[in-house]
Amino acid sequence: MPPRLPIRPDLAEVEPYGAPVLAVPVRLNVNENPCPPPPEVVTAVTAAVGEAAAGLNRYPDREFLTLRGALAEYLGREADAPWLTAGHLWAANGSNEIMLHVFQAFGGPGRTAVSFTPTYSMYPQYARDTYTRWVTAPRRADFTLDLTTALGVIDRERPSVIVLASPNNPTGTALRLDEIEALARATVGPGGEASAVVVVDEAYAEFRRPGTPSAVELVPTYPHLAVARTMSKAFAFAGARVGYLAAAPDMVDVLRVVRLPYHLSTLTQAAALAALQHADVLLGGVAALRDARDRLVLDLRSRSDPVTGRPLEVAESDANFVLFGTFTDRNAVWRALVRDGVLIREVGPTGWLRVSVGTCEENTAFLAALDHVLSTAEVSR
Ligand SMILES: *Cc1c(COP(=O)(O)O)cnc(C)c1O
């Protein structure tokens, strides 16, 4: 027997994170944009990456101010925040790495991070990996934030990091700005010092319904508030791994301390810049996905649980996925859908399932499979 590895005790027996990867025809399980980048964007990205390849003997641009400027310009347009500059922006290999930077800089041993469940299952892993204590409080039954509970937890636990996903994964729920502001105000002491950073994870922001604001507009007022975004969802660029964050330049400077040297490769920077130059084309399908999302919510609401006969519960969604349920045996429903060639996600509170919005064909295939599954005796037992 070879010797056992000297693994950290808290990591022993822990399985790596990740949704099941199954080769089925319809994959609606990880909230990707179902439409590949259009040919003109593929051509532009290829050309940019080809040009960058000629300089790969050199390390990448460590501060990537060109990319940060392009992200500032895009976000300034998207969130009506023309005051954003390169100094307000940070970027990394996916917003997952952005969040790790936040935990590395503001969490750590003896410190606490707080969030409100159900929410993104990666957050506790950033806490674990940075030895930050992880504390959660429940959202309301409709997945909105209970401000009294939230303020109570902050008062009691004295966190140094507060993570708010909006629109939230896996529920699709967007937070109101006055709620986010209340938490930002509750973390400023009498002398004006902030006891916590408030990070609003807006990975799905581009899918929000008209009238739903972005927390970016709070950044000038609250120097301890940051908004994380990603090119993985609306931008149809998940494979490139580009996430970013907008905050006061002082907070961005703190994140620069903990990043690994040259963490964003020359090829990533080139590809992201080329994609941002074609933002309008890449985001051209978002309106259709939003419409398809709204239709999917209505279509699901017109169906019933085979056991109870009650109409399905469907959460309001400002994202590109829909949480629905509740099933007596959600795993049976999930497995039967896989057998019908449709992969969704078994995630969220007990009894619920999450489906990503796909192409029209994929959504139709999902609903047909769901109808088939709901009519079989197997899931009714
Ligand atoms: C998908 C998702 C992200 C994006 O992660 P990337 O690392 O940018 O691909 C971030 N936050 C939430 C809540 C998500 O669901």
Side-chain angles (χ1 to χ4, degrees), residues 55-74:
L56 282 180
N57 56 314
R58 300 293 180 189
Y59 279 111
D61 175 356
R62 220 169 30 202
E63 301 298 340
F64 47 96
L65 284 166
T66 313
L67 175 58
R68 287 158 69 188
L71 288 166
E73 203 219 287
Y74 163 70

Side-chain angles (χ1 to χ4, degrees), residues 287-300:
L289 286 171
R290 259 191 248 122
D291 289 346
R293 181 257 333 267
D294 292 341
R295 211 158 40 240
L296 193 54
V297 167
L298 296 177
D299 282 339
L300 283 166

Side-chain angles (χ1 to χ4, degrees), residues 30-31 93-97 99 119-120 123 126 165 167-169 201-204 229-233 238 241-244 321 354:
V30 289
N31 302 340
N93 298 280
S95 60
N96 269 279
E97 189 179 25
M99 295 298 288
T119 192
Y120 191 37
Y123 299 148
Y126 315 137
N168 184 39
N169 181 5
D201 183 349
E202 291 193 349
Y204 300 97
R229 293 263 187 132
T230 180
M231 294 181 74
S232 293
K233 307 287 160 58
R241 310 304 300 127
V242 185
Y244 55 101
F321 54 82
R354 191 194 71 192

Side-chain angles (χ1 to χ4, degrees), residues 263-323:
H263 69 290
L264 208 56
S265 90
T266 302
L267 301 181
T268 304
Q269 294 183 38
L273 260 176
L276 284 164
Q277 279 157 8
H278 295 79
D280 294 345
V281 185
L282 274 171
L283 295 166
V286 167
L289 286 171
R290 259 191 248 122
D291 289 346
R293 181 257 333 267
D294 292 341
R295 211 158 40 240
L296 193 54
V297 167
L298 296 177
D299 282 339
L300 283 166
R301 283 196 178 135
S302 70
R303 286 160 167 83
S304 308
D305 181 303
V307 180
T308 61
R310 279 201 306 263
L312 294 187
E313 283 186 68
V314 185
E316 294 289 333
S317 177
D318 276 283
N320 67 335
F321 54 82
V322 179
L323 191 72

